[in-house]
Amino acid sequence: MAEPGVRAPEVADERGWRLRHLPVLLAASAVLGAVAAVVGGLTGGGAAAAGAAAGVAVTVLSYTLTTVVLAWADAINPQLVLPLGLGLYIAKFTLLGVVMVAVASTGWDGLVPLCVGIAAGVAVWTGVHIWWLSSGNSRRP
């Protein structure tokens, strides 16, 4: 019998279930990034287009990193998920705050579209993830 919190080796069919949602979320985010760049370009020019697309990219990078790290931690030992998740959360938001302050100090015209892109990225990623989970796709094989 295994120790509490330690899983038996996984069968080959179950290896990728923790990341099955990632391609759908990345595809939705890619579409959002393209739309954000076009809308930013039409409403505020090149800086706005770059800022909006960069905002979506920031969200995608952040969420993808979290997804991969937590899937890895869960596969190794579920007891690692909480400490790694919290540590990653603190590190990411600290880094995001430092980057936002640095960008704001430059007076770049793409700052507001960057913020809007981040917010849109969060909304789309979360909405698509909720859809994916509620549609029954999250069941283990």
Side-chain angles (χ1 to χ4, degrees), residues 79-107:
Q79 293 176 344
L80 293 173
V81 172
L82 181 62
L84 283 176
L86 289 174
L88 194 56
Y89 183 82
I90 291 166
K92 286 187 327 181
F93 275 91
T94 301
L95 180 61
L96 180 61
V98 168
V99 169
M100 293 301 287
V101 167
V103 171
S105 69
T106 66

